[in-house]
Amino acid sequence: SDVYKRQLSIIVPVFNVEKHLRKCLDSLLDQDINKSEYEILIINDGSTDGSLDIAEEYVARFSNIMVHTKENGGVGSARNNGLDRSKGDYVYFIDPDDYLKPNVLRLLLDTIISYNLEILTFSWTSFFDGKSKKITHEPAVKGDECVPLSQIMTGIDYIAEHKYKSSVWWYFAKRSFLVKSKVRFIEGRWMEDAIFTTQLFLKANTIADFPLNAHRYRVAPGTAMTSKKPSHYKKLIGDIHNAIFVFDEIVNDLKIEKVNHACIERIKTRQQAFVFFLLVRMIKSTMNFDEVRLKIGSIGSIGAYPLNSFIGEDYNLFVYQVIAPLLNTKSRFYTCFRLFNPFFKLRYKLAKNID
């Protein structure tokens, strides 16, 4: 029944986001391309709130919106599901609590098509939920100015030259390239986007950055990465630990292939950032000392700890510079753990949050 060849598939993984879903979908419709040129695939990942009702209301009103409901499997499985169903020449993943600036799709699509790119990255603005404080990722354009496309390069060189983001919502990818790359989202684990983006970029031969400020990213309290529930925290620690090992394999493969040294260094730095966040989260967790010691031993065994290439141009916040040295030998880290961890355990007990 698909009379038109769709140029773009926008994949929206949805789980209990009734509060934000309309804003997201409205922004995807408030665009300067014909509805026949793109499809919006809502993958309902077993929502238990009103998300599905909202999605179905949009499906009834707009011919280019489809919804598919599956049992809850996490955002990685929802995105894979959407990817398998997509028919567009290009794919874009957006999260349902974020939204797009009006009338940006035409320019982005025309650019990725006319330069025949496998990946096109673009800019964004972060905003705090409920507050107006904005953090902007330097867009090079104001209004309708003509935007210069960056040099077209391989993904390896792109990573070497750009402080790239782990998320998946700041680029379009060619679907045939995605399928051929065989890169998939890890299912049932957090950090799936950081692993996906890195693996995908490394396989790209043609990637460029288009500094159009197209995306609006919601920094919300209580999201996956900021939730403080002990059981969730423990799972997140396990998933960060897994990502550290995946990145170790990536780095080792790149070393064997003797690729651009700056690319390897940036990916090692990203791995070290995972280690830093793992250390901080273990201190704030309900883990016992033996569990923590095992984790430290295992990341030490692959040379990911102590942190020797974390602080630098990518991670230079004052707070990192203060905390990193305190955690950077086993003895210092264990001292910090013994000092501060009991306070967090007590806080969970008082909050009756132990589960």
Side-chain angles (χ1 to χ4, degrees):
S1 70
D2 209 357
V3 188
Y4 300 94
K5 181 77 186 85
R6 307 241 190 232
Q7 288 184 331
L8 178 67
S9 297
I10 301 176
I11 296 166
V12 192
V14 164
F15 177 70
N16 292 356
V17 281
E18 59 181 8
K19 199 172 134 196
H20 302 304
L21 185 56
R22 281 179 202 279
K23 185 169 181 72
C24 176
L25 295 176
D26 288 343
S27 81
L28 300 180
L29 293 162
D30 188 15
Q31 294 297 330
D32 46 3
I33 58 174
N34 197 301
K35 302 281 181 285
S36 64
E37 292 179 79
Y38 69 116
E39 58 177 2
I40 298 167
L41 301 173
I42 301 168
I43 308 298
N44 171 37
D45 193 32
S47 295
T48 53
D49 68 351
S51 297
L52 181 58
D53 295 338
I54 294 170
E56 286 182 333
E57 175 199 316
Y58 276 79
V59 169
R61 285 168 57 205
F62 301 98
S63 59
N64 63 331
I65 301 186
M66 281 137 274
V67 65
H68 172 72
T69 293
K70 60 187 273 307
E71 63 178 49
N72 181 257
V75 68
S77 79
R79 289 192 189 125
N80 283 339
N81 192 297
L83 187 55
D84 292 339
R85 289 167 189 282
S86 64
K87 298 192 175 72
D89 297 332
Y90 298 91
V91 174
Y92 176 49
F93 299 100
I94 189 170
D95 291 331
D97 45 359
D98 297 345
Y99 63 97
L100 273 187
K101 196 178 146 180
N103 302 330
V104 291
L105 287 184
R106 171 87 285 148
L107 201 47
L108 292 171
L109 255 180
D110 284 352
T111 305
I112 196 168
I113 293 168
S114 57
Y115 289 95
N116 195 17
L117 302 170
E118 290 166 335
I119 297 173
L120 178 70
T121 63
F122 44 84
S123 295
W124 65 90
T125 299
S126 306
F127 65 96
F128 287 98
D129 207 357
K131 299 194 191 101
S132 61
K133 186 179 174 190
K134 288 195 169 173
I135 333 153
T136 303
H137 168 69
E138 303 307 309
V141 284
K142 315 253 182 302
D144 301 323
E145 279 174 39
C146 183
V147 195
L149 187 71
S150 79
Q151 201 183 337
I152 297 170
M153 53 183 79
T154 66
I156 287 171
D157 290 339
Y158 186 100
I159 289 175
E161 291 183 24
H162 297 78
K163 183 178 151 183
Y164 77 106
K165 198 166 174 54
S166 292
S167 316
V168 293
W169 44 251
W170 63 289
Y171 55 87
F172 283 6
K174 193 173 194 167
R175 191 168 63 94
S176 58
F177 158 69
L178 249 171
V179 172
K180 207 174 116 209
S181 77
K182 295 193 166 55
V183 176
R184 308 272 295 172
F185 289 96
I186 293 175
E187 304 201 359
R189 284 191 186 272
W190 298 114
M191 311 296 289
E192 79 301 318
D193 50 357
I195 294 168
F196 180 91
T197 295
T198 303
Q199 289 176 334
L200 190 69
F201 278 36
L202 288 172
K203 289 187 187 256
N205 286 310
T206 53
I207 175 170
D209 181 61
F210 188 60
L212 174 73
N213 190 357
H215 186 276
R216 300 290 175 267
Y217 169 64
R218 183 185 307 271
V219 183
T223 52
M225 298 308 282
T226 55
S227 168
K228 292 186 172 56
K229 227 170 124 189
S231 61
H232 176 95
Y233 228 65
K234 219 166 209 174
K235 168 148 177 42
L236 185 57
I237 285 167
D239 293 348
I240 296 173
H241 185 255
N242 172 67
I244 291 166
F245 276 78
V246 173
F247 268 59
D248 187 57
E249 285 169 34
I250 291 172
V251 166
N252 290 337
D253 288 347
L254 292 172
K255 279 181 178 163
I256 292 164
E257 293 165 36
K258 294 193 166 55
V259 308
N260 188 325
H261 182 67
C263 169
I264 296 176
E265 284 308 304
R266 177 154 272 135
I267 292 173
K268 268 171 70 176
T269 299
R270 188 64 50 100
Q271 181 202 42
Q272 295 251 295
F274 298 160
V275 172
F276 175 78
F277 295 120
L278 178 78
L279 298 172
V280 172
R281 284 194 161 95
M282 287 196 297
I283 289 173
K284 295 163 94 171
S285 76
T286 53
M287 289 170 75
N288 65 43
F289 188 69
D290 287 339
E291 290 175 299
V292 167
R293 227 176 43 204
L294 273 173
K295 286 266 190 280
I296 292 285
S298 77
I299 57 176
S301 72
I302 58 167
Y305 180 80
L307 301 169
N308 46 31
S309 55
F310 170 51
I311 302 294
E313 113 182 68
D314 289 7
Y315 298 94
N316 50 22
L317 287 180
F318 179 67
V319 61
Y320 299 154
Q321 296 184 40
V322 171
I323 297 173
L326 297 176
L327 312 178
N328 215 10
T329 63
K330 280 185 188 177
S331 59
R332 281 189 214 160
F333 175 73
Y334 294 147
T335 302
C336 286
F337 182 82
R338 289 196 168 106
L339 264 175
F340 299 113
N341 181 256
F343 288 107
F344 288 99
K345 286 199 172 101
L346 182 66
R347 215 173 80 184
Y348 292 127
K349 272 210 175 79
L350 294 175
K352 303 218 177 350
N353 209 354
I354 296 284
D355 49 2

